[in-house]
Amino acid sequence: MRFIFPAFLVLGCAVMLSCNVGGKASIDDVIIENSRMKLVISGDATVKSLIMKGRNEECLVKGSSIPLSTITGNRPYQHNLLLTYSTQKTTFNANSIRREGDKLIIHYDLITWEAVVDLDIKPDFIRFSLESLKDLKTGKDITEPLIDEMWFLQLPVKDRKHFGEWLNVIWDDNIAVNLLGTDPYARIDSEKEQGYHILKAGIETVVRLKGPGAALITCSTDKLLDNIATIEEEYNLPHGVNARRNDFYNASYYWSPNVTPMNIDRHIKYAKQGGFRTFMIYYPSFIEEGRGYEFLGNYDFRKEYPNGMADLKAMVDKITAAGMVPGFHFLHTHIGISSKYVTPKPDPRLNIRRIFTLASQLGRTDTVIYVEQNPQDAMMADNRRILKLGTELISYKNYTNTPPYMFTGCERGFNNTTVNEQPAGYIFGLLDVSEFGSTSIYINENSSIQDEIAHKLSEFYSTGFKFVYYDGSEGLNPPFWFNIANAQYIVHKRLQPEPIFAEGSAKTHFSWHILSRANAFDTYPPEKQKDETRINAAAEAPRMKNNFSSLNFGWLDYVLPEEKTVGTQPDMLEYVTSRAAGWDCPVSIKAYADRFDRHPRTADNLEVLRRWEDVRARHWLSEEHKQMLRDLGQEHTLLLNEKDEYELVPYDQISDAAGGSREIRAFIFRRNNEFYVAYWHISAEKRLYLPVNPGTIVLQEPLGQDIKFETDENGAILPLGGKIYLKTGKLSREELLKAFRDARVMD
């Protein structure tokens, strides 16, 4: 909660000064400026004005009285305050500020602490960093974490057309205001208010008390990325801007979890057929994982790689030689439950969710564990009820939540770990087993194990990979704003050369420099693919655009047609990849060579992807095209016309074709004052009886190349297999729709 104290209690409060129109400064105001902006802070430490020079435009909301800085403790730590006020979370607002050279000196309500914020004023940005905290009573620096969190910079920036919460930027076509962390230790956040957002930079003492910094950028929007790139160079950060400007940034990838030296040539054939410019390999393709993630952490090569790294490098080299960029998809926060990190002696760096103390000695055969703490609400999910005591893992069936507290039904030496005995008073913990399955455990990323894993991953990466996916990023400890990005950063710094771009399963502010594209969504059944795309990826795309980023509209599963599903069909792939292209985004397809072999519509499916990848590579789509594709209710198809040129046209599904038969998919569209129907069978080679005058229609595949078909006295008998185009300039839309509704599938 935020305390508001009466004026007579405020220590060192500066006289309130009126705010002049246009951001003019008063005598006690602090002015911080460079060639692009001018920030004015009143002597009472409230933020007054932020002017973008050149346009002379005010960027802050007026009358908000937001303090530049606040300090929050979970209780008042100073003795007199602890005796006076309730023991509860308390926030102290800055009440005075002065500037001494490149230092801001800030004082606060009630507490006798002084914060010193260092200024680094550069032409393109101004960096603020917390240099020190001092107790004015003692004259000494505060070295103990007497505070829990602090905002050393808060700016009430008025809303514009766009707000990007990931990058922490407010912008429109003309102006961008960005508060950007310059290291992983700065906590960057925002708070939404009526008509404005408070952009914040601060610290949490559980991460780092002194030194974290943030850069304020106020510039024309077209210069924002240039300025961020300058900051990335200045502070040796990952090159998020360069990644977003890479030629392959919009490239979709062929994503394979089962590519090996034995089948790489088949995979490359299909990847090339789909026009993919990048090729992602999921780590189980070459690392033995057992059931699920069981052996993850050993990083032993599968038997298909008898020469280890040499075989992997040869496979990656083949991908590169085929003209595609190879990528590496890994989990960097998981350890397999049967890996050498867990059995026979669990590594002390495995993560512990909760701590307990033995209330009595634990013998080697005991199946009840007595503890001092109440286990109330301890984990009860199946396969996640595991305790770690020294060299042993122990599973339990239940616990009591009334004294004497105990875990009951214990299985000793779980997972072949080493049984031990422990004395009363021994401290142990509840193991952090992944919520995504019982075969993996989360690590303590604040220990050396994260860098140890990073080193191993970097060795695989060095075989020729060029981009990465940080999976498992969500499986970390609080504070998540720090640990998610920092775990990625530990790995990222070891990857040489630096990945040209990256994706991940979770992101925080600092991740913007690491993850140039947002996460891919998980796979969906074919029948739900379009709806889930509307709900998830298409809804996420504009948010990523607000953050000067894109996202992956995949992963797309590749499903064979069978009794319970029509399988993956060309229109499904076209819907997803076209919606993605409308936002300058890629897709990815989960690729199994045997499924491509067996799916009767693979040629048509991959042709859809090939055309859209070619369009991405050529940057063929105009802004008008992109706006069309953002209409989620209207489907579109990318044609290769009679001149071998692309045409983008809207088309509509004839959902009741052939009386609603699931065997046929048909879509109607209009071009050059003629109507067309693109149609195909989901899985077989059959015939379609169409009750129409054969002289009124033409069949083509490709467009401009006529196909012969059978006729009888009542209609036309058309081939029904792969995609074919029916064209007519003699039938109306209604007549054509009726003919397809009345059509009949023939063997």
Side-chain angles (χ1 to χ4, degrees), residues 702-714:
L703 290 176
Q705 184 172 317
D706 293 352
I707 299 174
K708 293 181 179 180
F709 57 90
E710 303 174 51
T711 65
D712 67 15
E713 66 275 9
N714 295 315

Side-chain angles (χ1 to χ4, degrees), residues 257-261 281-289 299-305 308-309 312 315-316 327-329 460-461 463 465:
N258 75 338
V259 59
T260 68
I281 299 178
Y282 191 28
Y283 79 89
S285 289
F286 56 90
I287 296 172
E288 183 64 44
E289 66 165 3
Y299 297 109
D300 294 329
F301 276 97
R302 288 174 49 169
K303 62 183 180 182
E304 292 90 343
Y305 298 79
M309 288 289 184
L312 177 60
M315 190 172 70
V316 172
F328 180 19
H329 179 139
F460 295 121
Y461 179 84
T463 59
F465 290 109

Side-chain angles (χ1 to χ4, degrees), residues 179-184 186 188 213-215 231 237 509-510 513:
L179 188 56
L180 182 77
T182 56
D183 54 72
I188 304 297
I231 291 170
L237 306 181
H509 174 75
F510 190 77
H513 304 287

Side-chain angles (χ1 to χ4, degrees), residues 113-264:
W113 296 346
E114 177 183 88
V116 178
V117 174
D118 183 68
L119 299 174
D120 185 10
I121 301 175
K122 297 293 175 64
D124 298 324
F125 63 89
I126 300 172
R127 180 178 184 262
F128 300 75
S129 60
L130 181 61
E131 181 179 290
S132 66
L133 281 168
K134 180 183 292 185
D135 189 333
L136 296 178
K137 279 188 175 181
T138 64
K140 297 180 179 179
D141 285 349
I142 296 173
T143 56
E144 298 180 24
L146 301 180
I147 66 174
D148 294 287
E149 65 181 31
M150 173 188 184
W151 300 115
F152 55 78
L153 184 61
Q154 297 189 125
L155 298 173
V157 180
K158 62 183 178 182
D159 287 340
R160 297 180 182 273
K161 184 177 180 180
H162 305 283
F163 170 63
E165 80 288 346
W166 184 21
L167 184 55
N168 204 41
V169 60
I170 294 174
W171 61 283
D172 57 22
D173 292 341
N174 300 312
I175 293 178
V177 179
N178 179 206
L179 188 56
L180 182 77
T182 56
D183 54 72
Y185 309 104
R187 183 182 175 190
I188 304 297
D189 208 339
S190 66
E191 185 177 338
K192 181 174 174 53
E193 300 289 352
Q194 188 65 39
Y196 65 99
H197 281 75
I198 305 173
L199 303 187
K200 301 180 176 186
I203 58 95
E204 282 191 41
T205 54
V206 295
V207 174
R208 183 163 293 187
L209 179 62
K210 301 172 186 177
L216 175 62
I217 304 171
T218 305
C219 64
S220 60
T221 302
D222 62 345
K223 298 295 183 182
L224 177 65
L225 290 183
D226 290 340
N227 292 341
I228 295 176
T230 299
I231 291 170
E232 290 176 337
E233 287 295 331
E234 182 81 14
Y235 297 102
N236 195 29
L237 306 181
H239 295 88
V241 173
N242 289 350
R244 287 164 174 81
R245 289 172 169 172
N246 189 278
D247 289 341
F248 291 93
Y249 183 59
N250 69 347
S252 300
Y253 57 76
Y254 182 97
W255 186 84
S256 177
N258 75 338
V259 59
T260 68
M262 282 70 76
N263 64 22
I264 181 62

Side-chain angles (χ1 to χ4, degrees), residues 616-634:
R616 286 181 175 88
R618 296 187 191 189
H619 301 283
W620 180 84
L621 291 176
S622 67
E623 285 304 313
E624 182 180 358
H625 287 143
K626 293 175 186 178
Q627 292 301 322
M628 289 170 55
L629 295 171
R630 294 174 189 179
D631 179 356
L632 301 181
Q634 177 62 65

